[in-house]
Amino acid sequence: MNGVNVYGCMARFDSAESLRGAALQLRHAGYVRLEAYSPFAVEGLAEALGPTRSRLPLLVLLGGLFGGIGTLALQYYSAVIDYPIDVGGRPAASWPAFIPAALEMTILCAVLAGVVGMLLGNGLPQLYHPVFNVARFAQASRDGFFLVIRADDPHYNDARQALLDLAPLSVDEVPA
Amino acid sequence: MSANTPEANIAMQALRQRMAGAQGPRFWRALEELADDAHWRETLHVALPQLVALAPMDRRRFLKLLGASLALAGLAACSSPPQEQMVPWLRQPEGMAADSARFYASALACAGDVCGVLVETHMGRPTKIEGNPAHPASLGGSAPALQAAVLELWDPDRSQTPLHHGMPATWDDLFAELARLSRGDGRGLRVLSGAIVSPTLAAQRDALLQKFPAARWHQYEAAGQGQTLAGTASAFGTPLQPIYHFDQAQRILALDADFLGSMPGRLAYARAFARQRKPPQMNRLYAVEPTPSLTGAMADHCWPMSHDGVGAYARQLAGVLGVGGVGDANVDDPSLRAVADDLRAHKGRSLVLAGETQPRPVHALAHLLNQALGNIGHTVDYIAPMQAAAPDDSLASLCKAMDAGDVQTLLVLDANPAYDAPADLPFARALPKVPQRIHLGLYRDETARLCDWHLPMAHALESWSDLRAWDGTASIVQPLIEPLYAGRSAHQLLAAMLGQPMDIRALLQSRWHAGDDEGWSRSLREGVIADSATAPTNPSAVAASVPASTTSPSGELELLFRPDPTLWDGRYANNGWLQELPKPLSQLTWGNAALISPALAAERKLVNGDVVELRVGERHLRAPVWIMPGQAARSITVHLGHGRRHAGHVGDGVGFDANALRSHRAPWREGDLQLHATGERIELAATQHHHAMEGRAPVRAGTLAEYLHNARFLQPDEPATPPSLYPPKPPGEYAWGMAIDLNACIGCKGCTIACQAENNIPVVGEDQVRRGREMHWIRVDRYYEGSAQAPHTHHQPVPCMHCEHAPCEVVCPVGATVHDAEGLNLQVYNRCVGTRFCSNNCPYKVRRFNFLQYADVKTESLKAQRNPDVSVRNRGVMEKCTYCIQRIQTAHIAADRDGRAIADGEIVTACQAACPTQAITFGNIADPHSAVSKAKASPLDYTLLAELNTRPRTSYGAHLRNPNPALEDDA
Amino acid sequence: MSDALDRAPLLAPGQSLAGVTDHVSDIVLKRPTGRLWLAAFALSLALTGLLATGIVWLLMRGVGIWGLDMPVAWAFAIANYVWWIAIGMAGTFISAALYLTRQDWRSPLTRYAETMTVFAVSVSGLFPILHLGRPWFFYWLAPYPDRMNVWPQWRSSLLWDFFAIVAYLIVSLLYWYVSMIPDLATLRDRAATRGRQVFYGLLALGWRGEARHWKRFETLSLLLAALAVPLVFSVHSMVALDFSEGLLPGWHSSIFPPFFVAGALFSGFAMAMVLGLPLRHWFQLGDFITPRHIDNLAKMMLAAGLFVDYSYLMETFTAFYGMDRYDVAMTMQRFSGAYAWVFWTTIGCNVVAIQALWWQRVRANRAALFGISVLVLIGMWFERFMLIVSSLYHDFLPSSWGMFYPTFWDIAFLAGSIGLFFLLFLLFVRVLPIVSMSDMRKLVHRLQEPRP
């Protein structure tokens, strides 16, 4: 088999547990280009595929800080520096009154940062992906648990056998 | 679009010729003809090539551009003043730079009451009317009707061309007819006019009667001075006009006499009266009246009693004071004795006066009492009346003659008897029997529609005339603008009939200042003809016997007629400002009601708005009732001037026509009234629905005695203004503030309408007022204290408070209402998005919102009336009192130009200027010596809702009464 | 409390991953359009048309077509606004707060609750704009560089509210959509027709359920939940400040923010109930939305209601305790003034009616629950009307007191907004999964795990 127009090799498992188990075994067997697909978030599956670390929380924090401090700065600039004007005898820099808008903007910007971060991190939107070429894969969003060894894995040559050893429901080759 | 090219000038020349003589609507019609005239468009395109670019152009667009270019080309438009003849007022009022507005002195008359005015004009357009400080009947103050005259001038409903049998005609056609008439001795010629207060008109009348010996001249006023003159006649044998001197009077007894509300000279009287009520000196006013009046509301003691009760009271008083052998000296009515003692104790400094609505005997008694108290020559003078119509020249005799077919030609000069004649005079029925009927008037009113000739009358601001005020002072009436329409004055019409020259100005000058141009222009400048006041001719009373006044059986209901406080006899019915101005005491707008006493309401189970049938003999009408605290128990009051059938778009069918119940023998009172509830109810448009103060004391009131005991008796113990978290403002050069003296305010609402005129405040109409959407920037609240039978009344003008910690500003999300450096609470119309939070958050509810498009931006003539210094607000924006910021800015400009500070009193707000009693003071509170600072320093000064810490710039002087210690009834 | 219910399963026995997925997705993909749905749709459409007509008329004539006046310059429109945005609160609360507190029973409720939020907030957002005298300038509340250097006035609670609404609308929309992405993928994969595949495919953004994606997805869900909860509370506190920043008696009260938040959850749970019971019935969701869910919702509603009742009590108490003349007068006006009937209706609905929820038998009775929930919704609208009008119509100066009378258009806008809300919701149940399938699959999986 040539790896040129092949994305990888896909096996389907019957449950989240067996998928996670299979992933761990392949890791121990030295496979590094692994992908696992499940109809819901399976605890520990991502970790089983390899080391993960998420920068999402930091991103959200930065977004929030930007929103909050930015709004306060804007308010101070507009009300004190750019166009100070007497409103009801209140001081130009009415800090307590500046807080509410800043609070709302903090949350809004944090959320926006989070959502954008998640999508970019996951490389979404990505309407085409080779795994969709496998008919069975449609079950991944229902009750199918799939494990893929990508063709660029150093040990890819015996990937098919390794998958079959894990007693999957089925094994397919994923055309690129 | 510049029109200065030679072609343009040629075109304009041509246009001027084509447009010559075209005025008012004809002017515009001529323009439209042009719009269709291809050749003309050629010429104009040469003149104004910019227009070609826009071709093909629809008529509308063309007319618009044409109009603009004409204006630029300086074509004499329909509103240019006859500059060469007018003489501007000598002293421009403070704060008014000559270039922003020009002022001209003139005079206006209403039903024989004459007042000198200053007319403010912008680019030749009369926009505002102020009182003339130099005129004795005004002293600077002005009444609602005077303010509203400018709206009348621009009223689009005014009749615009002569009509013959309803078809447009020309004056020449009419003059042709009159020429035929002028052969012969005038048999069958009758003239009907209102009260004649113009000496020149009187002279023309005499000339006419001389030229046509067989002709007759009748005068009729629905609400005139007949009883007053008849009263003096029966007291002194000859009709005289009483002139009261309230500045001399320490004790005043008003017998149903509303000298603050409806008496000729009331503005001057109000000023003098208020002057005498500045603590620690205060006069004392007793009032007995069947229906509440402004005078009764100001009285220290007001006793409601029936129409006849007033007469009986006067009689008893005369008895106690031993006058003229009427009544018996031993009356055991403690309050009456107390009054008698009080008057007796102030001989020569007291005053008794009877109202026009009281019958002759009461007037006679009043005069006799004044004589007995030695008041004549001190607190009251008598002068020869300006106009005395012989009784046989009344409307009644005219109707008889018309009925008998003795009248060939009837000329009605600015009168409307078809509407305002009493029901028992069949004027409207008899009029068709007159072959030739000619009517001259401002409107095509009820009478005009019954005449075969209707002639548009030139407005008082469009024509030359002269007028005598109640004290005889004469003024020249000068035109501020050429007639908007094809109107002519009564003078011109009579001149035509007499074959006199049409130049009324020359006529006037020859009468008053023959050959004395200097004196003539001085009179025009001053608005007063020097030393023209009539000298008093105080008689000694001759009337030994006072005719017995009738007393009706108690328990029967009586019906009282009164001229409407704002519409008078109906002549102002088409004036939106006056229709929407809340009636001084009832706070009703847009219509009249039958005022009934709380007692009667309880007895008949009536509530406000219940429609009742009023029946007098076989005459009857349906009217909604309004419960009036202080109304005499069995007296019902209806106001004249409503229910007009042909007043115009504004006034038609508003309210009910009380003339239907009126008779000419007893014009002011009908006995034996039947009142039946109909079960119907209508919602009357009142602007104030709650009349008690609920212990919140928006008006702080006390008595003079308390004040003398402790001047600060109305000040709270804790400091008035609570502490604040916010840093104090650095004091600037100017800090504008206002002080309103509730002790001086008589509740006439002159301020409200002056503000409306000055600030382009729209009229919203009856339905919107019912919904509580009236737009007045300064309202006059009215509160009652004490019993509903005889309450104490408090008036309180409420403009914007211009709070230093303005709650409205904090809640505006777009900063449309903010503070300026001089402490004004500004409203930025074009920034306002209309959240209305500012109004919710205003504890004084002085903000007004354009819920719909209230300002009329379509009607051309109304645009011309507006004050160009004040922007017109459109729908969706909030507005409110600005302290007349345009006047403040004008003063700033003037001061900056001269490199000086604004002087105290240089800025006069519109409400302040109009106030007849000078209750309003405005100025710079940063200057401790300014009048307003002094007013605010008074121990009686307080701010509304001080506990809210809004720190208002507008403050009030508490309302004091000066009750008679001997009277514990309500002292 | 009944142990039976506490032990009752969160999910009917015998549910499989495939089962839940098929059941929910078939509602959208296979189930034919029912007559009842069409009837409801037609009615909502008609009401929406009325709203549209009203808006056109409003823009032509001005807010004067409503019964507003001086002194009552706010009335129906603001009451509608507060009512709707309050209803919105519960959705986010249910899915976010219960998520943070690891409440398994939230799973079947989240989706339609969040949908309710999004639509309610959208509808409520109409009113502050239409209520302006010049609606076309509403954007002047936003800060943007301007030739005239004019900026918004930051001290106004209306401005805070503007920011709150915008933030809340965007956040709730994202929260709703992001959590729906895996379900959209399911629909994409199960859609029969090309059109639907493309439609759902585009919306699903190519989601394929890769393990690392799920990880980020879960992290984000946690973060969003953690951000949404404070947002919910802050937003409705801002709404409360629209009033308590004013100095009017009855508005100027520090209890308002918590009071309003409680009121919001109260009416929100009521609306969740009003929507949930029919959904459960028509789409045979009984296996997912079990009696225990309904019982929990009812208990939450009772709890929120009791807090609201406490606020009523405290408002009255503080008025008399503080003995401020204006507060006392206003409170007495509420009890016996011209609008007393509004106050007593509120009490009847929000205080009396909900006491029935103490009884488990009532909580188990769907009809009763539905009735009570409707009463609560009515009561909460009247409460807003009372808070606004009873303070305005009798404020400080007796001379300026005046009544408010609604016009036809006041009613039309209220009815129309309800129509619009249901129109959107009916469309939702036809095209989007009304239960979160991924959450349900997770729940099924967890329940199948042998408990330690």
Short mmCIF file of all heavy atoms in Angstrom, two decimals, chain B residues 696 771 773 781 810-813 832-837 839-841 845 851 875 947, chain C residues 59-60 64 66 68-70 73-74 131 133-134 153 156 242 246-247 326 329 395-396 399:
data_model
loop_
_atom_site.label_atom_id
_atom_site.label_comp_id
_atom_site.label_asym_id
_atom_site.label_seq_id
_atom_site.Cartn_x
_atom_site.Cartn_y
_atom_site.Cartn_z
N ARG B 696 -47.35 68.39 51.94
CA ARG B 696 -45.99 68.49 51.40
C ARG B 696 -45.55 69.94 51.26
O ARG B 696 -44.41 70.21 50.93
CB ARG B 696 -45.93 67.79 50.04
CG ARG B 696 -46.32 66.34 50.17
CD ARG B 696 -46.33 65.61 48.85
NE ARG B 696 -46.66 64.20 49.09
CZ ARG B 696 -46.50 63.23 48.18
NH1 ARG B 696 -46.04 63.52 46.99
NH2 ARG B 696 -46.82 61.99 48.47
N ARG B 771 -54.94 64.09 27.75
CA ARG B 771 -53.98 63.02 28.03
C ARG B 771 -52.83 63.51 28.91
O ARG B 771 -51.90 62.76 29.18
CB ARG B 771 -53.40 62.48 26.73
CG ARG B 771 -54.41 61.76 25.87
CD ARG B 771 -53.74 61.35 24.56
NE ARG B 771 -54.68 60.69 23.66
CZ ARG B 771 -54.97 59.39 23.75
NH1 ARG B 771 -54.41 58.67 24.69
NH2 ARG B 771 -55.83 58.86 22.91
N ARG B 773 -50.67 66.11 28.14
CA ARG B 773 -49.47 66.36 27.33
C ARG B 773 -49.31 67.83 26.98
O ARG B 773 -48.69 68.15 25.95
CB ARG B 773 -49.53 65.52 26.06
CG ARG B 773 -49.52 64.03 26.32
CD ARG B 773 -49.74 63.28 25.03
NE ARG B 773 -49.70 61.84 25.23
CZ ARG B 773 -49.94 60.96 24.26
NH1 ARG B 773 -50.24 61.38 23.05
NH2 ARG B 773 -49.91 59.67 24.51
N ASP B 781 -49.43 76.44 39.20
CA ASP B 781 -50.19 75.49 40.02
C ASP B 781 -51.11 76.26 40.94
O ASP B 781 -50.84 77.41 41.30
CB ASP B 781 -49.23 74.64 40.85
CG ASP B 781 -48.48 73.65 39.97
OD1 ASP B 781 -48.93 73.46 38.83
OD2 ASP B 781 -47.46 73.12 40.42
N VAL B 810 -28.28 63.47 35.24
CA VAL B 810 -27.53 62.25 35.54
C VAL B 810 -28.08 61.06 34.77
O VAL B 810 -27.33 60.17 34.38
CB VAL B 810 -27.60 61.97 37.06
CG1 VAL B 810 -26.80 60.74 37.40
CG2 VAL B 810 -27.08 63.17 37.82
N VAL B 811 -29.37 61.06 34.50
CA VAL B 811 -29.96 59.85 33.94
C VAL B 811 -30.06 59.89 32.41
O VAL B 811 -30.54 58.95 31.80
CB VAL B 811 -31.37 59.62 34.52
CG1 VAL B 811 -31.28 59.39 36.02
CG2 VAL B 811 -32.29 60.78 34.20
N CYS B 812 -29.61 60.99 31.80
CA CYS B 812 -29.68 61.04 30.33
C CYS B 812 -28.51 60.27 29.73
O CYS B 812 -27.36 60.62 29.98
CB CYS B 812 -29.67 62.48 29.83
SG CYS B 812 -29.67 62.55 28.02
N PRO B 813 -28.78 59.23 28.94
CA PRO B 813 -27.69 58.40 28.43
C PRO B 813 -26.86 59.07 27.33
O PRO B 813 -25.75 58.64 27.06
CB PRO B 813 -28.41 57.17 27.87
CG PRO B 813 -29.76 57.66 27.52
CD PRO B 813 -30.09 58.73 28.52
N CYS B 832 -31.12 65.05 21.83
CA CYS B 832 -32.09 64.27 22.61
C CYS B 832 -32.63 63.11 21.77
O CYS B 832 -33.04 63.30 20.63
CB CYS B 832 -33.24 65.16 23.05
SG CYS B 832 -34.53 64.30 23.94
N VAL B 833 -32.60 61.89 22.35
CA VAL B 833 -33.19 60.76 21.66
C VAL B 833 -34.57 60.42 22.24
O VAL B 833 -35.28 59.59 21.70
CB VAL B 833 -32.29 59.51 21.74
CG1 VAL B 833 -31.01 59.72 20.97
CG2 VAL B 833 -32.01 59.14 23.18
N GLY B 834 -34.92 61.05 23.34
CA GLY B 834 -36.27 60.88 23.86
C GLY B 834 -36.48 59.68 24.75
O GLY B 834 -37.47 58.98 24.63
N THR B 835 -35.55 59.43 25.69
CA THR B 835 -35.79 58.32 26.63
C THR B 835 -36.84 58.70 27.68
O THR B 835 -37.44 57.83 28.29
CB THR B 835 -34.51 57.95 27.39
OG1 THR B 835 -34.18 59.04 28.24
CG2 THR B 835 -33.37 57.68 26.44
N ARG B 836 -36.95 60.00 27.95
CA ARG B 836 -37.92 60.53 28.92
C ARG B 836 -37.58 60.18 30.37
O ARG B 836 -38.35 60.45 31.27
CB ARG B 836 -39.34 60.07 28.59
CG ARG B 836 -39.75 60.39 27.19
CD ARG B 836 -41.20 60.17 26.96
NE ARG B 836 -41.56 58.76 26.91
CZ ARG B 836 -41.17 57.93 25.95
NH1 ARG B 836 -40.40 58.37 24.98
NH2 ARG B 836 -41.55 56.68 25.96
N PHE B 837 -36.40 59.60 30.59
CA PHE B 837 -36.00 59.32 31.97
C PHE B 837 -35.84 60.65 32.71
O PHE B 837 -36.17 60.76 33.89
CB PHE B 837 -34.69 58.52 31.98
CG PHE B 837 -34.41 57.80 33.28
CD1 PHE B 837 -33.32 56.93 33.39
CD2 PHE B 837 -35.22 57.95 34.39
CE1 PHE B 837 -33.06 56.24 34.57
CE2 PHE B 837 -34.97 57.27 35.57
CZ PHE B 837 -33.89 56.42 35.66
N SER B 839 -37.56 63.29 32.49
CA SER B 839 -38.84 63.76 33.01
C SER B 839 -39.28 62.92 34.20
O SER B 839 -39.71 63.45 35.23
CB SER B 839 -39.90 63.71 31.92
OG SER B 839 -41.17 63.88 32.49
N ASN B 840 -39.13 61.60 34.09
CA ASN B 840 -39.49 60.75 35.23
C ASN B 840 -38.72 61.19 36.47
O ASN B 840 -39.24 61.17 37.58
CB ASN B 840 -39.12 59.29 34.94
CG ASN B 840 -40.03 58.69 33.89
OD1 ASN B 840 -41.04 59.30 33.53
ND2 ASN B 840 -39.66 57.54 33.40
N ASN B 841 -37.47 61.57 36.26
CA ASN B 841 -36.60 61.84 37.40
C ASN B 841 -36.67 63.30 37.85
O ASN B 841 -35.97 63.69 38.74
CB ASN B 841 -35.15 61.48 37.04
CG ASN B 841 -34.41 60.94 38.24
OD1 ASN B 841 -35.03 60.34 39.11
ND2 ASN B 841 -33.12 61.18 38.29
N LYS B 845 -41.53 67.93 37.68
CA LYS B 845 -42.30 67.61 36.46
C LYS B 845 -42.48 68.85 35.59
O LYS B 845 -43.59 69.18 35.17
CB LYS B 845 -43.65 67.01 36.83
CG LYS B 845 -43.55 65.58 37.34
CD LYS B 845 -43.19 64.61 36.25
CE LYS B 845 -42.89 63.22 36.78
NZ LYS B 845 -41.63 63.11 37.51
N PHE B 851 -44.64 64.24 22.30
CA PHE B 851 -45.09 62.86 22.07
C PHE B 851 -45.45 62.66 20.60
O PHE B 851 -45.29 61.57 20.06
CB PHE B 851 -46.30 62.54 22.94
CG PHE B 851 -45.95 62.36 24.39
CD1 PHE B 851 -46.08 63.40 25.29
CD2 PHE B 851 -45.47 61.14 24.85
CE1 PHE B 851 -45.76 63.23 26.62
CE2 PHE B 851 -45.15 60.96 26.18
CZ PHE B 851 -45.30 62.01 27.07
N ARG B 875 -41.06 66.28 16.89
CA ARG B 875 -41.53 65.19 17.73
C ARG B 875 -40.36 64.35 18.25
O ARG B 875 -39.32 64.25 17.61
CB ARG B 875 -42.49 64.31 16.95
CG ARG B 875 -41.77 63.44 15.95
CD ARG B 875 -42.27 62.01 16.01
NE ARG B 875 -42.38 61.46 14.67
CZ ARG B 875 -42.13 60.19 14.39
NH1 ARG B 875 -41.75 59.37 15.34
NH2 ARG B 875 -42.25 59.76 13.16
N GLU B 947 -35.43 68.99 50.46
CA GLU B 947 -34.90 67.77 51.10
C GLU B 947 -34.32 66.80 50.09
O GLU B 947 -33.54 65.93 50.42
CB GLU B 947 -36.01 67.08 51.90
CG GLU B 947 -37.17 66.56 51.06
CD GLU B 947 -38.28 67.59 50.90
OE1 GLU B 947 -37.97 68.80 50.81
OE2 GLU B 947 -39.45 67.19 50.84
N LEU C 59 -43.38 54.57 14.09
CA LEU C 59 -42.33 55.37 13.44
C LEU C 59 -42.94 56.53 12.69
O LEU C 59 -42.34 57.60 12.57
CB LEU C 59 -41.52 54.48 12.49
CG LEU C 59 -40.71 53.39 13.20
CD1 LEU C 59 -39.97 52.54 12.18
CD2 LEU C 59 -39.73 54.00 14.18
N MET C 60 -44.18 56.35 12.20
CA MET C 60 -44.82 57.45 11.46
C MET C 60 -45.27 58.55 12.41
O MET C 60 -45.07 59.73 12.15
CB MET C 60 -46.01 56.93 10.66
CG MET C 60 -45.61 56.21 9.39
SD MET C 60 -47.02 55.29 8.70
CE MET C 60 -48.20 56.62 8.48
N GLY C 64 -46.43 58.98 20.92
CA GLY C 64 -47.73 59.47 21.37
C GLY C 64 -48.87 58.51 21.06
O GLY C 64 -49.96 58.66 21.59
N TRP C 66 -49.00 55.65 22.04
CA TRP C 66 -49.22 54.96 23.31
C TRP C 66 -49.89 55.91 24.30
O TRP C 66 -50.02 57.10 24.04
CB TRP C 66 -47.90 54.45 23.88
CG TRP C 66 -47.26 53.35 23.09
CD1 TRP C 66 -47.92 52.43 22.32
CD2 TRP C 66 -45.87 53.06 22.96
NE1 TRP C 66 -47.01 51.58 21.74
CE2 TRP C 66 -45.75 51.94 22.11
CE3 TRP C 66 -44.71 53.63 23.49
CZ2 TRP C 66 -44.52 51.38 21.79
CZ3 TRP C 66 -43.49 53.08 23.15
CH2 TRP C 66 -43.39 51.96 22.32
N LEU C 68 -48.83 57.12 26.94
CA LEU C 68 -47.87 57.84 27.79
C LEU C 68 -48.28 59.29 27.96
O LEU C 68 -48.94 59.87 27.10
CB LEU C 68 -46.48 57.79 27.15
CG LEU C 68 -45.92 56.40 26.91
CD1 LEU C 68 -44.67 56.48 26.06
CD2 LEU C 68 -45.63 55.73 28.23
N ASP C 69 -47.89 59.89 29.08
CA ASP C 69 -48.19 61.31 29.29
C ASP C 69 -47.19 61.85 30.31
O ASP C 69 -46.24 61.16 30.69
CB ASP C 69 -49.63 61.47 29.79
CG ASP C 69 -49.87 60.71 31.09
OD1 ASP C 69 -48.94 60.64 31.91
OD2 ASP C 69 -50.97 60.16 31.29
N MET C 70 -47.39 63.07 30.70
CA MET C 70 -46.70 63.58 31.88
C MET C 70 -47.71 63.48 33.02
O MET C 70 -48.81 63.97 32.85
CB MET C 70 -46.26 65.04 31.68
CG MET C 70 -45.25 65.21 30.58
SD MET C 70 -43.75 64.36 31.04
CE MET C 70 -42.90 64.34 29.47
N ALA C 73 -44.35 58.92 31.96
CA ALA C 73 -43.67 58.91 30.67
C ALA C 73 -43.13 57.53 30.30
O ALA C 73 -42.64 57.34 29.20
CB ALA C 73 -42.53 59.93 30.67
N TRP C 74 -43.16 56.61 31.25
CA TRP C 74 -42.83 55.22 30.97
C TRP C 74 -44.02 54.37 31.38
O TRP C 74 -44.64 54.64 32.40
CB TRP C 74 -41.63 54.74 31.79
CG TRP C 74 -40.30 55.27 31.38
CD1 TRP C 74 -40.04 56.16 30.37
CD2 TRP C 74 -39.03 54.96 31.98
NE1 TRP C 74 -38.70 56.41 30.31
CE2 TRP C 74 -38.06 55.69 31.28
CE3 TRP C 74 -38.64 54.13 33.02
CZ2 TRP C 74 -36.70 55.61 31.60
CZ3 TRP C 74 -37.31 54.07 33.35
CH2 TRP C 74 -36.33 54.81 32.63
N HIS C 131 -39.09 52.54 22.21
CA HIS C 131 -39.61 53.42 23.24
C HIS C 131 -39.02 54.82 23.14
O HIS C 131 -39.57 55.77 23.69
CB HIS C 131 -39.29 52.80 24.61
CG HIS C 131 -39.87 53.52 25.76
ND1 HIS C 131 -39.14 54.36 26.56
CD2 HIS C 131 -41.13 53.56 26.25
CE1 HIS C 131 -39.92 54.85 27.50
NE2 HIS C 131 -41.13 54.40 27.34
N GLY C 133 -38.07 58.50 21.80
CA GLY C 133 -38.80 59.47 21.01
C GLY C 133 -38.32 59.48 19.57
O GLY C 133 -39.09 59.69 18.64
N ARG C 134 -37.02 59.23 19.39
CA ARG C 134 -36.45 59.20 18.04
C ARG C 134 -35.64 57.91 17.90
O ARG C 134 -34.42 57.90 18.03
CB ARG C 134 -35.57 60.43 17.81
CG ARG C 134 -36.34 61.74 18.01
CD ARG C 134 -35.62 62.92 17.40
NE ARG C 134 -34.41 63.29 18.10
CZ ARG C 134 -33.57 64.22 17.65
NH1 ARG C 134 -33.82 64.84 16.51
NH2 ARG C 134 -32.49 64.53 18.35
N GLN C 153 -23.29 59.55 27.90
CA GLN C 153 -23.19 60.07 29.26
C GLN C 153 -23.10 58.87 30.19
O GLN C 153 -24.10 58.21 30.47
CB GLN C 153 -24.43 60.93 29.53
CG GLN C 153 -24.26 61.97 30.61
CD GLN C 153 -24.37 61.36 31.98
OE1 GLN C 153 -23.36 61.08 32.63
NE2 GLN C 153 -25.59 61.13 32.41
N SER C 156 -25.43 57.46 33.29
CA SER C 156 -26.85 57.09 33.20
C SER C 156 -27.03 55.59 33.23
O SER C 156 -26.38 54.86 32.48
CB SER C 156 -27.45 57.64 31.91
OG SER C 156 -28.69 57.01 31.67
N ASP C 242 -31.99 50.86 36.22
CA ASP C 242 -32.77 51.80 35.41
C ASP C 242 -33.78 52.53 36.27
O ASP C 242 -34.19 53.64 35.96
CB ASP C 242 -33.53 51.04 34.30
CG ASP C 242 -32.58 50.57 33.22
OD1 ASP C 242 -31.43 51.03 33.24
OD2 ASP C 242 -33.00 49.74 32.40
N GLY C 246 -33.09 56.47 39.70
CA GLY C 246 -34.02 57.58 39.81
C GLY C 246 -34.31 57.88 41.27
O GLY C 246 -34.11 57.02 42.13
N LEU C 247 -34.78 59.11 41.54
CA LEU C 247 -35.02 59.44 42.94
C LEU C 247 -36.50 59.32 43.30
O LEU C 247 -36.94 59.74 44.35
CB LEU C 247 -34.50 60.85 43.25
CG LEU C 247 -34.79 62.00 42.28
CD1 LEU C 247 -36.26 62.24 42.13
CD2 LEU C 247 -34.08 63.26 42.75
N TYR C 326 -42.66 60.50 51.24
CA TYR C 326 -43.03 60.14 49.87
C TYR C 326 -43.11 58.63 49.70
O TYR C 326 -44.02 58.12 49.05
CB TYR C 326 -42.02 60.76 48.90
CG TYR C 326 -41.89 62.26 49.10
CD1 TYR C 326 -40.75 62.80 49.67
CD2 TYR C 326 -42.93 63.12 48.78
CE1 TYR C 326 -40.64 64.17 49.88
CE2 TYR C 326 -42.84 64.48 48.98
CZ TYR C 326 -41.68 65.01 49.53
OH TYR C 326 -41.58 66.36 49.75
N ALA C 329 -46.35 57.49 51.33
CA ALA C 329 -47.51 57.85 50.49
C ALA C 329 -47.59 56.91 49.29
O ALA C 329 -48.66 56.39 48.96
CB ALA C 329 -47.38 59.30 50.04
N ASP C 395 -46.08 61.39 42.12
CA ASP C 395 -44.73 61.60 42.65
C ASP C 395 -44.72 62.72 43.68
O ASP C 395 -45.53 62.71 44.59
CB ASP C 395 -43.72 61.79 41.52
CG ASP C 395 -43.94 63.09 40.76
OD1 ASP C 395 -45.07 63.61 40.84
OD2 ASP C 395 -43.01 63.58 40.11
N PHE C 396 -43.86 63.69 43.51
CA PHE C 396 -43.61 64.61 44.62
C PHE C 396 -44.65 65.71 44.74
O PHE C 396 -45.25 65.92 45.78
CB PHE C 396 -42.20 65.20 44.49
CG PHE C 396 -41.12 64.18 44.63
CD1 PHE C 396 -40.56 63.58 43.51
CD2 PHE C 396 -40.68 63.80 45.88
CE1 PHE C 396 -39.57 62.62 43.65
CE2 PHE C 396 -39.68 62.84 46.03
CZ PHE C 396 -39.13 62.26 44.91
N SER C 399 -49.59 68.74 42.36
CA SER C 399 -50.15 69.44 41.19
C SER C 399 -49.87 68.66 39.91
O SER C 399 -50.63 68.77 38.95
CB SER C 399 -49.51 70.82 41.07
OG SER C 399 -48.12 70.67 40.86
#
